[in-house]
Amino acid sequence: MSSGPQAQVTLAPPAPVFARRTLADRESVLGPLMLAPALVYVILLVGVPFVLAILLSFSSATAGSLDFNWVGLRNFTRLLSDPQFHRSLGNTLRFMLVSQVLVMVLAVTAAHVLDAAFVGKRLVRSLLLLPWAAPVALASMAWVWIFDSTFSVVNWTLKVLGLLPGWLYWFGEPGLATVAIITVHVWRMFPFATVIVLAGMSAIPQDIREAAVVDGAGFFRRLFHVNLPMLLPVVTVAVLFGVVFTATDFSVVWLLTRGGPYNSTHVLATLAFQRGILGANLGEGAAVALFLLPVLLVAAVVMLRLARRAEVGT
Amino acid sequence: MHDRTSRTRGAGDPNHREGVKLGMDESRKAAGAGAAQAEDVRISRREFIRKAAVATAALGMPYFYVPKYSLAQQRTLRILTWSHFVPAFDEWFDPFAQRWGRERGVQVTVDHVSFADIVPRANAEVAAQQGHDLFFFLSPPSAFEPHVLDLRDINQEAERRYGPMVPLVRKSVYNPNSRKFYGFSDNWVPDPGDYLKSVWTAVGYPNGPATWDDLIKAGNEIKRRFPEIQIPIGIGFSQDIDSNMATRAILWSFGASIQDANENVVLNSEQTIRAVEYGVRLFRECMNPAVLSWNAASNNQALNARQTAYILNSISAYRTAQDNRLPVADDIWFVPALRGPGGRWASEHVMGVWVIWRFARSPDLAKEFLLHLVDNYRDAVLASKLYNFPSFMGSVADRRVPVAEKPDAGRRWMRAAVIRDPFGSNPPDKLRVLADAEQWSTNIGHPGPANPAEGEIFDTYLIPDMFAQAATGRLSVREAVQQTHRRCVEIFRKWRQQGLVGGGRDR
């Protein structure tokens, strides 16, 4: 009992009653104030455009006009009967699913390779990140040349090797254009996923791995029964990122094919740009852009719950 | 821990006054030897906030203070234009604008964007209701009519100085429904056929094709005799500006069009069916799927790499070959628009239209600058290496010529320039076909005026897509035409509701 007041006197002498409290002392003000710039930034650059897009999707707004005519769900109902929209929606889902499956297979494989000890491992890890770090516009320009229908370096190489009897018109045929787009998506996304999986692997307790080895579990048994279950939360996060990035990506498709040939490779983002900005049909463009939002929201919630459950389970 | 401790300290705390931030642990450390030295480099929260505030204010000051001051002192003109396909033009234009500004005490800013970024940028400026004073488009910007000033005054002034503007130009800057000049054009660009003379000579056409029929006949022969040429005929059916021009040229030459002269949609016609059938034949016999994926540069690259023997383009592909001293330059020759059953038509390759936004801060300066630009258009034509053709032909006439004679004098000067190309053509009269370009060139929207509906159809590539879908067999010719017609009708209806498009008796 007696030590309390003594300690108070020694460690924290009471401030004089006239002491002026400045902003730096008032955390209830300082905290929000320090957060404000980031908050304003997000509200102005994400929140406002987002709300504006929702409002536009219920209007017949056109570029070159600031008039706002409420049309209810007309833009959405019109889209539901638009074959080009159906195709774009299908492409968005197809590109997303196929690329994510490939990304995860490649990422888990690469993570296991990079987890092993070998000479030059650090260099390989750094190089692996290059596709992720490279500006997408720059990278896509390189891929445009790699897959150019007339001058494709892939074609020329295959020709020289005697492996290509005809010619592959990468961007001129919908199937090949799809392959090209998915290739670039995978190339971009898999380094990021690899890094995440690598981080997850380093978090797996060494004794569990060693116990599996001692118990005589082979590589695939360890992979499917030890590593992957324990990696599930982190893999889910990587997939979630990948899904969101791929489903909302505009630049890869636009820079590679601009939605061609004959609108066959449009995704929702590029169709929205074509209809809303180039075609001056802002209302319809906004409706296209927002169409996937509920789907992505549900996917995100489900995946985060899965990840949480897996985490709790571990 | 840190936070709680900080709250309990007041200004009277000696440690606080000294700018040393201490927590409980740090208090203990402070008692230790050498701790004071380590803590000298730390700053208190107060000090940090004060310094950060000062730094922010110092960095932000110019944005809030200096512009206001300078705006009060000097008038400004902000110009946005494209990065010209002939780079030499920009090297002339930017100093030209700066010189004009210096002479008038005007601070001129010229920003260049890629041609593909023009429309998105315009949309952004309209949405923000701020941006440049003068904005340049490559095709008639009729959709932006509500947001631009009526430029009747400077169009009339230019006509007063130099005589009437070229008819296809008038159709691209004037809306007959609203009776508004929504733009001011200084230039348009012809779209001739570019062909490899050696190849066409070898297949019996030394002067290149004259009709659309020639294109298929010779294309087949080129395919047979020159297997190294991947794409005998290089006409894009893609989502790009050149494909837009080329497919319209086919439509018009077969007597078809999207709209009639009164802005009624007439695409669904037997003429269109025949035009698309022709496109299907051309694609299957003389082209390959590469043309479905072309961008604006692809046909230039293919021609300069001798991977195609004919393209529809301006002279920029040729000028690029010259600038890069490619041997192919001497082999590139030109033909006028090809003749079809419905006549001989080519779209203008570029329709350069300036607009002045309603929200422009210096509209008068912008108008003054545009007239100054037209006053010096002979220099502009030469700076573009004969790529730009004047919208007011009289503007390139000799200054001493009376106004009434200026248009003819200007046309004579253009003819002389293209017949004796001062930019190293071999032979010098290689560009001769451009002398008559006005006769076979027409505007987007032909035979009617340019309007926002035509603009939307242009910018969403409906016509090249119609050809591509039929050519690849994805739709039958009739289905492709009908589907495109329906979409065109929808678009026209939408713009009619805004009062910007006439007609209403769609087929």
Short mmCIF file of all heavy atoms in Angstrom, two decimals, chain A residues 210-265:
data_model
loop_
_atom_site.label_atom_id
_atom_site.label_comp_id
_atom_site.label_asym_id
_atom_site.label_seq_id
_atom_site.Cartn_x
_atom_site.Cartn_y
_atom_site.Cartn_z
N GLU A 210 9.47 -32.92 -40.23
CA GLU A 210 10.43 -33.99 -39.92
C GLU A 210 9.70 -35.25 -39.45
O GLU A 210 10.08 -36.36 -39.82
CB GLU A 210 11.41 -33.51 -38.85
CG GLU A 210 12.43 -32.52 -39.42
CD GLU A 210 13.22 -31.81 -38.33
OE1 GLU A 210 13.00 -32.09 -37.13
OE2 GLU A 210 14.05 -30.96 -38.68
N ALA A 211 8.63 -35.05 -38.69
CA ALA A 211 7.87 -36.21 -38.21
C ALA A 211 7.29 -36.97 -39.40
O ALA A 211 7.29 -38.21 -39.42
CB ALA A 211 6.74 -35.74 -37.29
N ALA A 212 6.84 -36.23 -40.42
CA ALA A 212 6.29 -36.88 -41.61
C ALA A 212 7.36 -37.68 -42.32
O ALA A 212 7.11 -38.80 -42.78
CB ALA A 212 5.69 -35.83 -42.53
N VAL A 213 8.55 -37.10 -42.39
CA VAL A 213 9.66 -37.82 -43.05
C VAL A 213 10.01 -39.07 -42.26
O VAL A 213 10.18 -40.16 -42.83
CB VAL A 213 10.89 -36.89 -43.17
CG1 VAL A 213 12.09 -37.67 -43.72
CG2 VAL A 213 10.57 -35.71 -44.07
N VAL A 214 10.08 -38.91 -40.93
CA VAL A 214 10.43 -40.05 -40.08
C VAL A 214 9.39 -41.15 -40.22
O VAL A 214 9.70 -42.35 -40.25
CB VAL A 214 10.56 -39.60 -38.60
CG1 VAL A 214 10.67 -40.80 -37.67
CG2 VAL A 214 11.77 -38.69 -38.45
N ASP A 215 8.12 -40.73 -40.36
CA ASP A 215 7.05 -41.73 -40.52
C ASP A 215 7.04 -42.38 -41.89
O ASP A 215 6.18 -43.22 -42.18
CB ASP A 215 5.69 -41.07 -40.26
CG ASP A 215 5.52 -40.75 -38.78
OD1 ASP A 215 6.33 -41.27 -37.98
OD2 ASP A 215 4.61 -39.98 -38.43
N GLY A 216 7.95 -41.93 -42.73
CA GLY A 216 8.09 -42.57 -44.03
C GLY A 216 7.18 -42.02 -45.11
O GLY A 216 6.98 -42.67 -46.15
N ALA A 217 6.63 -40.81 -44.90
CA ALA A 217 5.77 -40.21 -45.93
C ALA A 217 6.61 -39.75 -47.11
O ALA A 217 7.63 -39.08 -46.93
CB ALA A 217 5.00 -39.04 -45.33
N GLY A 218 6.19 -40.11 -48.30
CA GLY A 218 6.90 -39.69 -49.50
C GLY A 218 6.58 -38.24 -49.83
O GLY A 218 5.79 -37.58 -49.14
N PHE A 219 7.14 -37.75 -50.97
CA PHE A 219 6.97 -36.34 -51.33
C PHE A 219 5.49 -35.97 -51.51
O PHE A 219 5.01 -34.98 -50.95
CB PHE A 219 7.75 -36.03 -52.61
CG PHE A 219 7.49 -34.65 -53.13
CD1 PHE A 219 8.09 -33.55 -52.51
CD2 PHE A 219 6.62 -34.44 -54.18
CE1 PHE A 219 7.83 -32.27 -52.98
CE2 PHE A 219 6.36 -33.16 -54.64
CZ PHE A 219 6.97 -32.07 -54.05
N PHE A 220 4.79 -36.77 -52.30
CA PHE A 220 3.40 -36.41 -52.59
C PHE A 220 2.50 -36.54 -51.36
O PHE A 220 1.60 -35.75 -51.17
CB PHE A 220 2.86 -37.27 -53.75
CG PHE A 220 3.44 -36.84 -55.06
CD1 PHE A 220 4.41 -37.60 -55.70
CD2 PHE A 220 3.05 -35.64 -55.64
CE1 PHE A 220 4.96 -37.19 -56.89
CE2 PHE A 220 3.61 -35.22 -56.84
CZ PHE A 220 4.57 -36.00 -57.47
N ARG A 221 2.80 -37.56 -50.53
CA ARG A 221 1.99 -37.70 -49.31
C ARG A 221 2.24 -36.48 -48.40
O ARG A 221 1.31 -35.92 -47.84
CB ARG A 221 2.37 -39.00 -48.59
CG ARG A 221 1.59 -39.19 -47.30
CD ARG A 221 1.55 -40.62 -46.91
NE ARG A 221 0.70 -41.38 -47.82
CZ ARG A 221 0.02 -42.46 -47.46
NH1 ARG A 221 0.11 -42.90 -46.24
NH2 ARG A 221 -0.72 -43.11 -48.30
N ARG A 222 3.51 -36.07 -48.31
CA ARG A 222 3.81 -34.89 -47.47
C ARG A 222 3.13 -33.65 -48.08
O ARG A 222 2.59 -32.81 -47.37
CB ARG A 222 5.33 -34.66 -47.41
CG ARG A 222 6.07 -35.69 -46.58
CD ARG A 222 7.41 -35.12 -46.09
NE ARG A 222 8.22 -34.57 -47.15
CZ ARG A 222 9.07 -35.28 -47.92
NH1 ARG A 222 9.19 -36.58 -47.73
NH2 ARG A 222 9.77 -34.70 -48.85
N LEU A 223 3.18 -33.58 -49.42
CA LEU A 223 2.59 -32.41 -50.08
C LEU A 223 1.08 -32.32 -49.82
O LEU A 223 0.57 -31.27 -49.42
CB LEU A 223 2.85 -32.50 -51.59
CG LEU A 223 2.24 -31.39 -52.45
CD1 LEU A 223 2.88 -30.04 -52.12
CD2 LEU A 223 2.43 -31.69 -53.94
N PHE A 224 0.38 -33.46 -50.06
CA PHE A 224 -1.08 -33.40 -49.99
C PHE A 224 -1.63 -33.56 -48.58
O PHE A 224 -2.75 -33.14 -48.32
CB PHE A 224 -1.69 -34.46 -50.93
CG PHE A 224 -1.52 -34.11 -52.38
CD1 PHE A 224 -0.64 -34.81 -53.19
CD2 PHE A 224 -2.23 -33.04 -52.93
CE1 PHE A 224 -0.47 -34.47 -54.52
CE2 PHE A 224 -2.05 -32.70 -54.26
CZ PHE A 224 -1.17 -33.41 -55.06
N HIS A 225 -0.87 -34.22 -47.70
CA HIS A 225 -1.41 -34.46 -46.36
C HIS A 225 -0.79 -33.58 -45.28
O HIS A 225 -1.33 -33.50 -44.18
CB HIS A 225 -1.25 -35.94 -45.98
CG HIS A 225 -2.15 -36.82 -46.77
ND1 HIS A 225 -1.76 -37.43 -47.93
CD2 HIS A 225 -3.46 -37.14 -46.60
CE1 HIS A 225 -2.77 -38.13 -48.44
NE2 HIS A 225 -3.82 -37.95 -47.66
N VAL A 226 0.31 -32.95 -45.58
CA VAL A 226 0.93 -32.09 -44.56
C VAL A 226 1.00 -30.64 -45.06
O VAL A 226 0.39 -29.74 -44.48
CB VAL A 226 2.35 -32.59 -44.20
CG1 VAL A 226 3.00 -31.67 -43.17
CG2 VAL A 226 2.28 -34.01 -43.67
N ASN A 227 1.74 -30.45 -46.16
CA ASN A 227 2.02 -29.07 -46.59
C ASN A 227 0.76 -28.34 -47.05
O ASN A 227 0.46 -27.24 -46.55
CB ASN A 227 3.05 -29.08 -47.72
CG ASN A 227 4.42 -29.47 -47.20
OD1 ASN A 227 4.61 -29.63 -45.99
ND2 ASN A 227 5.37 -29.65 -48.09
N LEU A 228 0.04 -28.92 -48.00
CA LEU A 228 -1.11 -28.19 -48.55
C LEU A 228 -2.18 -27.89 -47.50
O LEU A 228 -2.68 -26.77 -47.46
CB LEU A 228 -1.69 -28.94 -49.75
CG LEU A 228 -0.87 -28.84 -51.05
CD1 LEU A 228 -1.59 -29.52 -52.20
CD2 LEU A 228 -0.58 -27.39 -51.40
N PRO A 229 -2.55 -28.86 -46.65
CA PRO A 229 -3.54 -28.50 -45.62
C PRO A 229 -3.07 -27.36 -44.73
O PRO A 229 -3.84 -26.49 -44.37
CB PRO A 229 -3.71 -29.79 -44.82
CG PRO A 229 -3.32 -30.88 -45.76
CD PRO A 229 -2.25 -30.30 -46.62
N MET A 230 -1.80 -27.36 -44.41
CA MET A 230 -1.30 -26.30 -43.54
C MET A 230 -1.14 -24.99 -44.29
O MET A 230 -1.11 -23.91 -43.70
CB MET A 230 0.01 -26.73 -42.90
CG MET A 230 -0.15 -27.96 -42.04
SD MET A 230 1.18 -28.18 -40.87
CE MET A 230 0.76 -27.00 -39.63
N LEU A 231 -1.01 -25.11 -45.62
CA LEU A 231 -0.87 -23.89 -46.43
C LEU A 231 -2.22 -23.28 -46.81
O LEU A 231 -2.27 -22.19 -47.38
CB LEU A 231 -0.10 -24.21 -47.73
CG LEU A 231 1.41 -24.36 -47.62
CD1 LEU A 231 1.98 -24.86 -48.95
CD2 LEU A 231 2.06 -23.05 -47.25
N LEU A 232 -3.28 -24.00 -46.54
CA LEU A 232 -4.59 -23.59 -47.05
C LEU A 232 -4.94 -22.12 -46.76
O LEU A 232 -5.37 -21.39 -47.67
CB LEU A 232 -5.69 -24.52 -46.53
CG LEU A 232 -7.03 -24.34 -47.22
CD1 LEU A 232 -6.93 -24.58 -48.71
CD2 LEU A 232 -8.08 -25.26 -46.62
N PRO A 233 -4.75 -21.66 -45.52
CA PRO A 233 -5.12 -20.26 -45.27
C PRO A 233 -4.35 -19.29 -46.16
O PRO A 233 -4.93 -18.37 -46.74
CB PRO A 233 -4.75 -20.04 -43.79
CG PRO A 233 -4.70 -21.40 -43.20
CD PRO A 233 -4.27 -22.32 -44.29
N VAL A 234 -3.06 -19.53 -46.29
CA VAL A 234 -2.25 -18.59 -47.06
C VAL A 234 -2.52 -18.75 -48.56
O VAL A 234 -2.56 -17.77 -49.32
CB VAL A 234 -0.75 -18.76 -46.68
CG1 VAL A 234 -0.08 -19.85 -47.43
CG2 VAL A 234 -0.02 -17.46 -46.89
N VAL A 235 -2.76 -19.98 -48.99
CA VAL A 235 -3.10 -20.20 -50.40
C VAL A 235 -4.43 -19.51 -50.72
O VAL A 235 -4.60 -18.92 -51.79
CB VAL A 235 -3.17 -21.72 -50.70
CG1 VAL A 235 -3.88 -21.97 -52.03
CG2 VAL A 235 -1.78 -22.31 -50.76
N THR A 236 -5.35 -19.57 -49.78
CA THR A 236 -6.64 -18.91 -50.01
C THR A 236 -6.47 -17.42 -50.22
O THR A 236 -7.10 -16.82 -51.08
CB THR A 236 -7.57 -19.16 -48.80
OG1 THR A 236 -7.59 -20.55 -48.54
CG2 THR A 236 -8.96 -18.67 -49.08
N VAL A 237 -5.59 -16.85 -49.43
CA VAL A 237 -5.34 -15.41 -49.59
C VAL A 237 -4.74 -15.15 -50.97
O VAL A 237 -5.14 -14.21 -51.67
CB VAL A 237 -4.39 -14.90 -48.48
CG1 VAL A 237 -3.96 -13.47 -48.76
CG2 VAL A 237 -5.08 -14.99 -47.14
N ALA A 238 -3.79 -15.98 -51.39
CA ALA A 238 -3.17 -15.80 -52.70
C ALA A 238 -4.21 -15.94 -53.80
O ALA A 238 -4.24 -15.15 -54.76
CB ALA A 238 -2.06 -16.83 -52.90
N VAL A 239 -5.09 -16.93 -53.67
CA VAL A 239 -6.13 -17.13 -54.68
C VAL A 239 -7.09 -15.94 -54.69
O VAL A 239 -7.47 -15.44 -55.75
CB VAL A 239 -6.91 -18.44 -54.42
CG1 VAL A 239 -8.13 -18.53 -55.33
CG2 VAL A 239 -6.01 -19.64 -54.66
N LEU A 240 -7.43 -15.47 -53.51
CA LEU A 240 -8.35 -14.33 -53.43
C LEU A 240 -7.77 -13.11 -54.15
O LEU A 240 -8.43 -12.47 -54.96
CB LEU A 240 -8.62 -14.00 -51.96
CG LEU A 240 -9.58 -12.85 -51.71
CD1 LEU A 240 -10.94 -13.17 -52.29
CD2 LEU A 240 -9.71 -12.57 -50.22
N PHE A 241 -6.50 -12.84 -53.87
CA PHE A 241 -5.83 -11.74 -54.56
C PHE A 241 -5.87 -11.97 -56.07
O PHE A 241 -6.19 -11.08 -56.85
CB PHE A 241 -4.38 -11.63 -54.10
CG PHE A 241 -4.19 -10.69 -52.95
CD1 PHE A 241 -4.14 -11.16 -51.66
CD2 PHE A 241 -4.09 -9.32 -53.16
CE1 PHE A 241 -3.98 -10.30 -50.59
CE2 PHE A 241 -3.93 -8.45 -52.10
CZ PHE A 241 -3.87 -8.94 -50.80
N GLY A 242 -5.51 -13.18 -56.46
CA GLY A 242 -5.47 -13.51 -57.88
C GLY A 242 -6.82 -13.35 -58.54
O GLY A 242 -6.93 -12.80 -59.64
N VAL A 243 -7.84 -13.84 -57.86
CA VAL A 243 -9.20 -13.75 -58.42
C VAL A 243 -9.60 -12.29 -58.62
O VAL A 243 -10.08 -11.89 -59.68
CB VAL A 243 -10.21 -14.46 -57.48
CG1 VAL A 243 -11.63 -14.05 -57.80
CG2 VAL A 243 -10.06 -15.96 -57.61
N VAL A 244 -9.34 -11.49 -57.60
CA VAL A 244 -9.73 -10.08 -57.70
C VAL A 244 -8.92 -9.38 -58.79
O VAL A 244 -9.46 -8.65 -59.63
CB VAL A 244 -9.56 -9.37 -56.33
CG1 VAL A 244 -9.79 -7.87 -56.47
CG2 VAL A 244 -10.52 -9.97 -55.32
N PHE A 245 -7.61 -9.62 -58.81
CA PHE A 245 -6.77 -8.98 -59.82
C PHE A 245 -7.19 -9.39 -61.23
O PHE A 245 -7.28 -8.56 -62.13
CB PHE A 245 -5.30 -9.33 -59.61
CG PHE A 245 -4.63 -8.49 -58.55
CD1 PHE A 245 -3.84 -9.06 -57.58
CD2 PHE A 245 -4.80 -7.11 -58.53
CE1 PHE A 245 -3.24 -8.28 -56.60
CE2 PHE A 245 -4.21 -6.33 -57.56
CZ PHE A 245 -3.42 -6.93 -56.59
N THR A 246 -7.41 -10.67 -61.43
CA THR A 246 -7.72 -11.15 -62.77
C THR A 246 -9.12 -10.71 -63.20
O THR A 246 -9.33 -10.29 -64.34
CB THR A 246 -7.63 -12.69 -62.84
OG1 THR A 246 -6.50 -13.11 -62.09
CG2 THR A 246 -7.51 -13.18 -64.26
N ALA A 247 -10.07 -10.82 -62.28
CA ALA A 247 -11.46 -10.50 -62.65
C ALA A 247 -11.63 -9.01 -62.94
O ALA A 247 -12.49 -8.64 -63.72
CB ALA A 247 -12.40 -10.92 -61.53
N THR A 248 -10.82 -8.19 -62.30
CA THR A 248 -10.98 -6.75 -62.51
C THR A 248 -9.92 -6.18 -63.44
O THR A 248 -9.90 -4.99 -63.69
CB THR A 248 -10.90 -6.00 -61.17
OG1 THR A 248 -9.65 -6.32 -60.56
CG2 THR A 248 -12.03 -6.40 -60.24
N ASP A 249 -9.06 -7.04 -63.96
CA ASP A 249 -7.97 -6.52 -64.78
C ASP A 249 -8.47 -5.97 -66.10
O ASP A 249 -9.31 -6.56 -66.78
CB ASP A 249 -6.95 -7.62 -65.07
CG ASP A 249 -5.81 -7.09 -65.90
OD1 ASP A 249 -4.98 -6.36 -65.34
OD2 ASP A 249 -5.77 -7.37 -67.11
N PHE A 250 -7.93 -4.83 -66.44
CA PHE A 250 -8.27 -4.19 -67.71
C PHE A 250 -7.08 -4.23 -68.66
O PHE A 250 -7.21 -4.51 -69.84
CB PHE A 250 -8.67 -2.74 -67.43
CG PHE A 250 -8.76 -1.87 -68.64
CD1 PHE A 250 -9.90 -1.88 -69.42
CD2 PHE A 250 -7.70 -1.06 -69.02
CE1 PHE A 250 -9.99 -1.09 -70.55
CE2 PHE A 250 -7.78 -0.28 -70.15
CZ PHE A 250 -8.93 -0.28 -70.91
N SER A 251 -5.91 -3.97 -68.08
CA SER A 251 -4.76 -3.66 -68.93
C SER A 251 -4.30 -4.82 -69.79
O SER A 251 -3.97 -4.62 -70.96
CB SER A 251 -3.62 -3.14 -68.08
OG SER A 251 -3.55 -3.85 -66.88
N VAL A 252 -4.27 -6.02 -69.25
CA VAL A 252 -3.71 -7.13 -70.04
C VAL A 252 -4.54 -7.35 -71.31
O VAL A 252 -4.01 -7.37 -72.43
CB VAL A 252 -3.65 -8.43 -69.20
CG1 VAL A 252 -3.32 -9.61 -70.08
CG2 VAL A 252 -2.59 -8.29 -68.12
N VAL A 253 -5.85 -7.47 -71.15
CA VAL A 253 -6.70 -7.72 -72.32
C VAL A 253 -6.66 -6.53 -73.27
O VAL A 253 -6.54 -6.69 -74.49
CB VAL A 253 -8.15 -8.02 -71.89
CG1 VAL A 253 -9.06 -8.13 -73.09
CG2 VAL A 253 -8.20 -9.30 -71.08
N TRP A 254 -6.74 -5.35 -72.71
CA TRP A 254 -6.80 -4.17 -73.59
C TRP A 254 -5.51 -4.00 -74.38
O TRP A 254 -5.54 -3.70 -75.58
CB TRP A 254 -7.11 -2.91 -72.77
CG TRP A 254 -7.46 -1.76 -73.64
CD1 TRP A 254 -6.69 -0.67 -73.93
CD2 TRP A 254 -8.67 -1.59 -74.40
NE1 TRP A 254 -7.34 0.15 -74.81
CE2 TRP A 254 -8.55 -0.38 -75.10
CE3 TRP A 254 -9.84 -2.35 -74.53
CZ2 TRP A 254 -9.56 0.08 -75.94
CZ3 TRP A 254 -10.84 -1.87 -75.37
CH2 TRP A 254 -10.70 -0.67 -76.06
N LEU A 255 -4.39 -4.18 -73.70
CA LEU A 255 -3.12 -3.98 -74.40
C LEU A 255 -2.83 -5.10 -75.40
O LEU A 255 -2.21 -4.88 -76.42
CB LEU A 255 -1.98 -3.86 -73.40
CG LEU A 255 -2.01 -2.57 -72.56
CD1 LEU A 255 -1.02 -2.63 -71.43
CD2 LEU A 255 -1.73 -1.36 -73.44
N LEU A 256 -3.29 -6.30 -75.09
CA LEU A 256 -2.99 -7.41 -75.99
C LEU A 256 -3.94 -7.46 -77.18
O LEU A 256 -3.52 -7.53 -78.33
CB LEU A 256 -3.07 -8.74 -75.25
CG LEU A 256 -1.97 -9.06 -74.23
CD1 LEU A 256 -2.18 -10.45 -73.66
CD2 LEU A 256 -0.59 -8.96 -74.83
N THR A 257 -5.24 -7.46 -76.92
CA THR A 257 -6.19 -7.70 -78.03
C THR A 257 -7.23 -6.60 -78.22
O THR A 257 -7.94 -6.61 -79.21
CB THR A 257 -6.99 -9.00 -77.78
OG1 THR A 257 -7.82 -8.80 -76.62
CG2 THR A 257 -6.07 -10.19 -77.54
N ARG A 258 -7.34 -5.68 -77.25
CA ARG A 258 -8.39 -4.66 -77.27
C ARG A 258 -9.77 -5.32 -77.43
O ARG A 258 -10.69 -4.76 -78.01
CB ARG A 258 -8.15 -3.64 -78.39
CG ARG A 258 -6.85 -2.87 -78.24
CD ARG A 258 -6.64 -1.85 -79.33
NE ARG A 258 -6.92 -2.33 -80.66
CZ ARG A 258 -6.14 -3.17 -81.33
NH1 ARG A 258 -5.03 -3.62 -80.80
NH2 ARG A 258 -6.46 -3.55 -82.55
N GLY A 259 -9.87 -6.54 -76.95
CA GLY A 259 -11.17 -7.22 -77.01
C GLY A 259 -11.37 -8.01 -78.29
O GLY A 259 -12.34 -8.75 -78.41
N GLY A 260 -10.46 -7.86 -79.25
CA GLY A 260 -10.61 -8.55 -80.52
C GLY A 260 -10.09 -9.98 -80.45
O GLY A 260 -9.60 -10.41 -79.40
N PRO A 261 -10.19 -10.77 -81.51
CA PRO A 261 -10.82 -10.39 -82.76
C PRO A 261 -12.35 -10.38 -82.64
O PRO A 261 -12.90 -11.16 -81.88
CB PRO A 261 -10.37 -11.50 -83.73
CG PRO A 261 -10.11 -12.67 -82.83
CD PRO A 261 -9.63 -12.12 -81.53
N TYR A 262 -12.96 -9.49 -83.34
CA TYR A 262 -14.41 -9.22 -83.35
C TYR A 262 -15.06 -9.39 -81.98
O TYR A 262 -16.02 -10.13 -81.81
CB TYR A 262 -15.14 -10.02 -84.44
CG TYR A 262 -14.81 -11.49 -84.57
CD1 TYR A 262 -15.43 -12.45 -83.79
CD2 TYR A 262 -13.86 -11.92 -85.50
CE1 TYR A 262 -15.13 -13.78 -83.90
CE2 TYR A 262 -13.53 -13.26 -85.62
CZ TYR A 262 -14.17 -14.18 -84.82
OH TYR A 262 -13.87 -15.51 -84.93
N ASN A 263 -14.52 -8.68 -81.01
CA ASN A 263 -15.09 -8.61 -79.64
C ASN A 263 -15.12 -9.96 -78.93
O ASN A 263 -15.86 -10.12 -77.96
CB ASN A 263 -16.52 -8.06 -79.67
CG ASN A 263 -16.54 -6.59 -80.00
OD1 ASN A 263 -15.67 -5.84 -79.56
ND2 ASN A 263 -17.51 -6.16 -80.80
N SER A 264 -14.30 -10.90 -79.38
CA SER A 264 -14.42 -12.25 -78.80
C SER A 264 -13.63 -12.42 -77.51
O SER A 264 -13.82 -13.41 -76.82
CB SER A 264 -13.98 -13.29 -79.83
OG SER A 264 -12.64 -13.07 -80.17
N THR A 265 -12.72 -11.50 -77.18
CA THR A 265 -11.93 -11.69 -75.96
C THR A 265 -12.19 -10.59 -74.92
O THR A 265 -11.41 -10.43 -73.99
CB THR A 265 -10.42 -11.72 -76.27
OG1 THR A 265 -10.05 -10.50 -76.90
CG2 THR A 265 -10.07 -12.89 -77.15
#
